[in-house]
Amino acid sequence: MPLPIRLVLLRPRNAENLGAAARAMKNCGLSEWTWVRPEAEELSPARRLAVHAEDVLEASGRADTLDAAVADCVWVVGTSSRKVEGKRRLSPRAVAEEMVQRAAQGPVALVFGDERSGLTNAEVERCHDLSAVPTAPEQPSINLAQAVLLYAYEIRMATLAASPPPAAPLPVAATDTELALVESALEDALVTGGFLVDEQSRGRTGLRDLFAPLRRSRLTRKEAKLWLAALHTLAKRLRSGNRGG
Amino acid sequence: MPLPIRLVLLRPRNAENLGAAARAMKNCGLSEWTWVRPEAEELSPARRLAVHAEDVLEASGRADTLDAAVADCVWVVGTSSRKVEGKRRLSPRAVAEEMVQRAAQGPVALVFGDERSGLTNAEVERCHDLSAVPTAPEQPSINLAQAVLLYAYEIRMATLAASPPPAAPLPVAATDTELALVESALEDALVTGGFLVDEQSRGRTGLRDLFAPLRRSRLTRKEAKLWLAALHTLAKRLRSGNRGG
């Protein structure tokens, strides 16, 4: 059974890239991918480049938002060369090795931005960790299909190298949706409690820095539920205190 | 100074592959290549795909025979999935690591066959060792430019590993004492907020499970200070609410 490793392509513009990416995925034994609002309409150039991977091309999922594309994922890695405090910057090889392990807990996603501008700041924030191909400084920009190939190749190498899974079952990991609920509850408690005063400026940065370690730590489902319950209780008590005071 | 690692392309037929290969080489810090009797005549599609690697494209060497292309090389590896007695079959990773080492002794060459039939039997014999990308059995055939990219990428990874760049300074980690302060502040807020009701039994277990992910995530000092400030603010507000209510 193939591992639940999903490639997510945001706003892909170029049909030839989609075809070459499909071929590369099939070369490396991957078949699950989702296109978020694809801008490439005419798919015949994609079919020409897919060669014997038309099945992968036809089986692409569609989503309207990155959130929807990764809602069920236990780990979401964005491909971007940006540095963001609180998020790890992993090599493609390290991402592949960790994905093959984590895919035992649930679906994992690797997110690629569009050919022109890559991931937006909000999308970078949305990902749990980041990764970039260590390209040469003379030519840092890499073609989308070639980036897909490199990650798919590393995933194949890691899959081939992977030892049999550990006998002890891993704890159930929180999904991306469950993480987002915890983050909202944290924001609610901090705003109600008067710690985040200006949601537009300092507020969002503070929330991001506070939430980063929880995102990094790969919450289990049990921990996520406990945090949610704790934060709801605090927010409720704060609200009643606000009214009483 | 770049390592003397040379890619040799035998009878390349498709100009787009040459352009994509040039871009991939430059992405990975390679620039030396030789085309043996190229069949792609019109190079404008190559220029379109080379993007910012026109210099690599223009600088390709030409040779009439494989012998001439590798005459000065101390090691010649052919890319082919054939098995030949007396020659090693190396993974792309193993080839790259050995090439980076052997290039200290003199030029080394990696040979790619044409898009249609690959290396001839005589060419396979001519090479010192062989290598193939471990593609999935469902789609074993890989595009020429994509094969060039994978080997170039492995050569870049091996080069970087041979001369690691200075590591970026790590953020200052919170000390164990700072962590204990955050844990106390969390306990204080949760007890004041009525979430931890029984400090003797359920309370400690709940606190431990809530704190576990923060401990796991290796908080930075900055994050620890922020959590401390947030939890102090909430506890203070909860206390004044308790008094007011």
Side-chain angles (χ1 to χ4, degrees), chain A residues 222-235 237, chain B residues 186-199 202-210 238:
Chain A
K222 186 182 159 199
E223 288 164 349
K225 284 186 174 167
L226 196 58
W227 270 96
L228 212 49
L231 292 166
H232 282 163
T233 303
L234 292 190
R237 183 68 68 105
Chain B
L186 180 63
E187 182 173 14
D188 181 39
L190 294 173
V191 169
T192 311
F195 183 71
L196 295 186
V197 283
D198 178 5
E199 288 183 55
R202 179 175 162 281
R204 292 304 307 179
T205 314
L207 180 62
R208 197 190 59 203
D209 286 350
L210 278 166
L238 285 161

Side-chain angles (χ1 to χ4, degrees), chain A residues 2-242:
Chain A
L3 291 171
I5 296 178
R6 183 183 308 156
L7 307 191
V8 175
L9 272 59
L10 301 171
R11 306 170 295 276
R13 307 171 65 91
N14 182 316
E16 292 185 345
N17 281 339
L18 292 175
R23 179 173 181 177
M25 286 172 67
K26 194 161 180 181
N27 278 145
C28 299
L30 295 179
S31 57
E32 189 182 341
W33 60 341
T34 297
W35 303 347
V36 176
R37 280 180 284 117
E39 298 190 6
E41 290 292 332
E42 171 54 66
L43 283 185
S44 53
R47 286 195 194 90
R48 182 173 69 81
L49 278 158
V51 188
H52 296 293
E54 293 90 350
D55 55 338
V56 174
L57 197 62
E58 304 298 336
S60 65
R62 307 294 167 106
D64 283 333
T65 61
L66 172 56
D67 281 8
V70 302
D72 60 337
C73 291
V74 299
W75 196 37
V76 179
V77 179
T79 56
S80 169
S81 54
R82 266 174 269 181
K83 292 182 201 182
V84 178
E85 221 175 307
K87 294 187 199 297
R88 293 180 297 166
R89 295 177 78 218
L90 301 163
S91 71
R93 189 161 302 167
V95 166
E97 286 163 2
E98 197 167 328
M99 281 209 151
V100 169
Q101 288 178 351
R102 292 218 201 181
Q105 295 180 287
V108 295
L110 186 59
V111 183
F112 296 87
D114 67 80
E115 289 93 333
R116 205 167 286 177
S117 6
L119 275 71
T120 65
N121 287 335
E123 287 160 352
V124 165
E125 278 301 328
R126 190 68 192 66
C127 293
H128 306 171
D129 284 304
L130 300 173
S131 174
V133 176
T135 44
E138 296 76 25
Q139 170 91 324
S141 144
I142 189 165
N143 165 267
L144 174 61
Q146 295 191 322
V148 166
L149 170 65
L150 289 184
Y151 281 92
Y153 164 77
E154 287 286 12
I155 289 166
R156 175 147 182 85
M157 294 298 286
T159 308
L160 291 175
S163 45
L170 289 163
V172 180
T175 65
D176 190 72
T177 304
E178 289 164 338
L179 273 181
L181 287 175
V182 176
E183 187 171 10
S184 298
L186 179 63
E187 181 172 16
D188 182 39
L190 293 172
V191 169
T192 311
F195 182 73
L196 294 186
V197 283
D198 179 4
E199 287 183 57
Q200 301 305 94
S201 55
R202 177 174 163 285
R204 292 302 308 178
T205 313
L207 179 64
R208 194 191 63 199
D209 288 349
L210 279 166
F211 196 65
L214 284 178
R215 215 177 249 295
R216 264 204 318 271
S217 69
R218 288 169 277 150
L219 285 180
T220 65
R221 174 161 295 163
K222 186 182 159 199
E223 288 164 349
K225 284 186 174 167
L226 196 58
W227 270 96
L228 212 49
L231 292 166
H232 282 163
T233 303
L234 292 190
K236 199 176 154 192
R237 183 68 68 105
L238 285 162
R239 255 188 275 279
S240 71
N242 286 351

Side-chain angles (χ1 to χ4, degrees), chain B residues 207-222:
Chain B
L207 180 62
R208 197 190 59 203
D209 286 350
L210 278 166
F211 198 64
L214 285 178
R215 205 175 262 293
R216 259 201 327 267
S217 69
R218 284 165 283 145
L219 284 180
T220 66
R221 173 162 294 165
K222 185 180 161 199

Side-chain angles (χ1 to χ4, degrees), chain B residues 149-174:
Chain B
L149 170 66
L150 289 184
Y151 282 94
Y153 164 76
E154 287 286 12
I155 289 165
R156 174 145 183 86
M157 293 299 285
T159 307
L160 291 174
S163 55
L170 288 167
V172 180

Side-chain angles (χ1 to χ4, degrees), chain A residues 93 153-154 157, chain B residues 3-7 28 30 75 77-79 88-104 108-110 112 129-133 147-162:
Chain A
R93 189 161 302 167
Y153 164 77
E154 287 286 12
M157 294 298 286
Chain B
L3 291 169
I5 295 178
R6 183 183 309 157
L7 307 191
C28 299
L30 295 179
W75 194 37
V77 178
T79 56
R88 291 180 298 165
R89 295 179 78 217
L90 301 164
S91 71
R93 191 160 300 167
V95 166
E97 286 162 2
E98 197 168 328
M99 281 208 153
V100 168
Q101 289 178 350
R102 293 219 199 186
V108 293
L110 187 59
F112 296 86
D129 284 302
L130 299 174
S131 173
V133 176
V148 165
L149 170 66
L150 289 184
Y151 282 94
Y153 164 76
E154 287 286 12
I155 289 165
R156 174 145 183 86
M157 293 299 285
T159 307
L160 291 174

